[in-house]
Amino acid sequence: MLAAEEPLNPVLPHTSEIILGLVAFLLLLFVIKKFVSPKFEALYAERTAKIEGGIEKAEQAQAEAQRTLEQYKEQLAEARAEAARIRDDARAEGLQIIEELREQAQAESARIVAQGQHQLDAQRAQIVAELRADLGRTAVELASKVVGESLEDEARRRGTVDRFLNELDAVAAPASK
């Protein structure tokens, strides 16, 4: 009977081996479906969530970076505008200071010229007075020598000097006009 139990085809397994293989396969399939597959599904879902969360975080970070970049650009534009305004204000203030200094210099120059003119007038008046006195003394001396009499009398001398100076002023006045 051993020979009858041997399969006719050496490539085909025995029926008991096929049934045992089928039961082992179904048992293995049940264990994989019951225990292994849920673990894989959980790991897969967790990994998917992490990837999607990472993508979402990356998108949020990119959006935040874009907002920060926009804020930076706005601040930079404001800073440039502020710098331009400060530069313009400084330029205007510099021009104003220059104008004020110019006005002060002109006022000081006018004051110095007026003071110089006043001093010149005072010196001219002093020189004229000194020259009149010298001229009066010289005229009295010359008149004394020419007339031959002394003009020592104060009233007489004063009258002569005044008459001489008036004549001198009369001669000088038409010449200066």
Side-chain angles (χ1 to χ4, degrees):
M1 286 230 232
L2 282 174
E5 287 186 20
E6 277 192 39
L8 298 171
N9 190 352
V11 179
L12 287 177
H14 290 288
T15 312
S16 63
E17 288 177 358
I18 291 176
I19 293 174
L20 185 62
L22 189 62
V23 169
F25 176 73
L26 290 175
L27 185 62
L28 183 62
L29 185 63
F30 174 74
V31 169
I32 288 176
K33 281 243 183 221
K34 184 73 174 171
F35 299 107
V36 176
S37 181
K39 294 276 184 186
F40 278 123
E41 288 296 324
L43 287 174
Y44 176 72
E46 183 180 336
R47 186 172 178 146
T48 303
K50 282 184 180 180
I51 290 172
E52 288 175 354
I55 290 172
E56 186 176 315
K57 285 181 184 178
E59 288 174 350
Q60 288 175 351
Q62 187 175 8
E64 181 65 28
Q66 187 66 29
R67 282 192 301 273
T68 305
L69 179 63
E70 292 300 321
Q71 288 175 350
Y72 170 74
K73 286 181 179 179
E74 288 175 7
Q75 289 174 350
L76 185 60
E78 289 174 4
R80 286 182 178 159
E82 181 72 15
R85 186 185 60 75
I86 289 171
R87 191 172 44 247
D88 291 342
D89 289 349
R91 187 175 293 124
E93 188 175 323
L95 291 174
Q96 181 181 4
I97 289 171
I98 289 172
E99 187 62 31
E100 288 174 1
L101 289 175
R102 183 176 292 131
E103 288 173 3
Q104 288 176 356
Q106 288 174 347
E108 183 68 16
S109 173
R111 185 188 66 78
I112 290 171
V113 166
Q115 184 179 4
Q117 186 65 37
H118 179 69
Q119 286 177 350
L120 186 62
D121 290 343
Q123 286 176 352
R124 181 182 298 140
Q126 181 183 0
I127 290 172
V128 165
E130 288 175 6
L131 284 176
R132 282 182 179 241
D134 282 346
L135 189 60
R137 275 192 305 275
T138 306
V140 168
E141 287 175 16
L142 286 174
S144 294
K145 288 181 184 178
V146 168
V147 172
E149 65 183 70
S150 175
L151 296 175
E152 295 298 321
D153 182 16
E154 183 66 30
R156 196 186 239 180
R157 186 173 67 186
R158 186 170 297 208
T160 305
V161 169
D162 286 342
R163 190 177 62 238
F164 178 75
L165 289 177
N166 287 337
E167 287 175 8
L168 186 63
D169 284 341
V171 170
S176 64
K177 288 184 183 178

